Amino acid sequence: MIANRTRDEVFAIARKTLSDLAAASLEERISDVFTCRVREMNNEAKEGFANALRGSSTPMQVRSAFELPSQQRDSIQRAINETLSADVVICYETAPDVISGIELTANGRKIAWSIADYLMSLETTVTELMKKQSTAPVNPKAKAQLQPETNLAAGVEAK
C-alpha cells in the first residue's frame, strides 16, 4: 500500500512539475514534434483518418494543453492537409488534461504526443514491476533479514 501511494505521489508531482514548467518555447517544440508525428503517419493510419473523416459530419479535433497561436495552428493544418491529401476542417480546443501535449481525433481515431503519454507508460511499467514483485516467492532467509530483531526478554525491537 505504501509503495502504491508513493508511486502515485511521484507521478502526480511529475505531472504538476511538467505542467508548471510549460513555457512558450516548450509549447512551440511540442507543436513541432506533433506536426512531425502527423507527417510521419504510416499508410494504415492515414487511411484510417481519411475513412474517419468520410464517415463523420463533425470536424477533426485538435486538443492541446495550451492555447495554440495562429502560426502553430497553420503549421498543424498544413501537415494534416498534406498528409491526408485533403482540405480538413479542424476544431481547436484547449484541454489542461492533455499534459504538455497535443492530440488529434476524428471519429474514434487518435494520434497524439504528450509528456503524459511517457508518464503513463512509465507508470504502467512500474505497476507491472510492483505486481511481479508482490507475487514473487519470498526467500525465507531474505524475509528474516527484513524483519527487525526482537529482544524477547526485554520485549524491545533492536534498531
Side-chain angles (χ1 to χ4, degrees), residues 110-136:
K110 178 179 172 180
I111 183 170
W113 185 92
S114 74
I115 294 171
D117 292 340
Y118 290 108
L119 288 173
M120 285 187 344
S121 175
L122 178 61
E123 190 171 7
T124 300
T125 302
V126 169
T127 300
E128 288 172 7
L129 286 172
M130 289 176 65
K131 284 179 183 175
K132 285 181 185 175
Q133 192 72 11
S134 67
T135 60

Side-chain angles (χ1 to χ4, degrees), residues 65-122:
F66 47 88
E67 183 68 32
L68 289 167
S70 60
Q71 183 179 7
Q72 291 172 335
R73 286 181 183 211
D74 292 345
S75 177
I76 291 169
Q77 181 76 57
R78 272 192 311 280
I80 292 169
N81 288 350
E82 291 169 7
T83 301
L84 300 179
S85 301
D87 287 327
V88 178
V89 177
I90 300 173
C91 175
Y92 292 90
E93 177 186 336
T94 303
D97 61 315
V98 182
I99 299 172
S100 295
I102 303 175
E103 64 182 27
L104 168 70
T105 57
N107 201 19
R109 302 288 298 191
K110 178 179 172 180
I111 183 170
W113 185 92
S114 74
I115 294 171
D117 292 340
Y118 290 108
L119 288 173
M120 285 187 344
S121 175
L122 178 61

Side-chain angles (χ1 to χ4, degrees), residues 18-39:
L18 292 168
S19 185
D20 288 348
L21 291 176
S25 59
L26 175 60
E27 292 165 354
E28 289 171 14
R29 186 67 188 127
I30 289 169
S31 180
D32 291 344
V33 170
F34 176 75
T35 301
C36 287
R37 182 164 282 187
V38 168
R39 291 182 187 282

